[in-house]
Amino acid sequence: MTETPNPHIVDADFLTGEMHPIRRVVIALGSNLGERMAALQGAVDALADTPDVWLTSVSDVYETDPVDAPEGSKPYLNAVVLLDTTLPAHRLMERALAVEIAFDRERSDVRNAPRTLDVDLIQVGDRRADDDLLRLPHPRAGQRGFVLKPWHDLEPDAVLLDSGPIAELLEQVDLSGVRKREDLSLELH
């Protein structure tokens, strides 16, 4: 089993004394418009600069065919980031949306429309959510090779809540459109 922070270890807010558990978080990044690598690296940097967030690892970069996207959509660059945080899941989601906006993400009514940056919370500790802002674990993560493959590279023994071991999920998805880009890499600063 992958070593993750003990959920019983807490971090105390210095001013209020409020206790917050440390949670392992899996975030998927994607971009298929504009300067794709710059957007992914910017997202990594912005997440690393977030108070109460500690990035622990970033996957290799994969180029992937668009899935369930409008005709003419270009390939994505994708990666997965692992981090530890004491932030509540909804606050982390608000931060993810702010990072997307900083990279000119435009939302439309078109499902899976091309985007400059996508920052998806896949899993936040053992938290579950199903509301207008956040669904945890991410409802389609177990079916997406562009999430499972880079996550598996970082944590081969990881488990997606309510779905099972990612190694087993990975065996069930089509990886023909998921290609590792040996010439690209993201940096943790």
Side-chain angles (χ1 to χ4, degrees):
M1 186 57 111
T2 300
E3 185 175 328
T4 58
N6 184 331
H8 304 292
I9 296 175
V10 294
D11 182 45
D13 184 292
F14 181 73
L15 295 176
T16 66
E18 184 178 346
M19 305 297 266
H20 303 283
I22 298 174
R23 295 184 186 93
R24 169 56 53 100
V25 177
V26 179
I27 294 180
L29 304 174
S31 174
N32 76 333
L33 284 180
E35 296 294 326
R36 300 177 302 165
M37 268 305 287
L40 294 185
Q41 185 63 59
V44 169
D45 295 344
L47 290 167
D49 287 341
T50 304
D52 301 317
V53 168
W54 302 274
L55 263 65
T56 59
S57 53
V58 62
S59 74
D60 290 326
V61 176
Y62 285 81
E63 189 162 43
T64 61
D65 296 338
V67 176
D68 299 329
E71 189 173 327
S73 295
K74 295 182 179 175
Y76 277 84
L77 289 183
N78 292 98
V80 165
V81 174
L82 301 179
L83 59 90
D84 295 326
T85 187
T86 55
L87 292 177
H90 280 84
R91 189 166 317 149
L92 190 59
M93 184 64 194
E94 290 167 356
R95 176 64 174 156
L97 293 172
V99 171
E100 290 179 350
I101 290 168
F103 285 87
D104 300 321
R105 164 77 186 263
E106 293 181 16
R107 299 214 176 260
S108 76
D109 293 335
V110 177
R111 182 174 166 86
N112 297 324
R115 56 204 60 175
T116 55
L117 182 62
D118 196 24
V119 181
D120 284 337
L121 272 61
I122 303 302
Q123 188 160 278
V124 178
D126 62 357
R127 299 299 179 251
R128 289 170 176 80
D130 189 2
D131 58 46
D132 291 341
L133 178 64
L134 180 61
R135 293 182 67 197
L136 287 174
H138 191 286
R140 292 175 303 284
Q143 305 158 3
R144 302 293 199 220
F146 59 83
V147 172
L148 295 172
K149 181 62 177 132
W151 184 10
H152 182 265
D153 291 351
L154 295 176
E155 290 187 309
D157 56 352
V159 174
L160 178 61
L161 286 177
D162 303 329
S163 295
I166 60 170
E168 292 176 15
L169 297 171
L170 196 54
E171 293 173 1
Q172 301 170 23
V173 298
D174 177 10
L175 293 176
S176 62
V178 179
R179 302 164 297 278
K180 186 187 268 189
R181 290 288 305 264
E182 300 287 348
D183 59 323
L184 301 176
S185 64
L186 296 167
E187 302 292 324
L188 280 178
H189 299 289

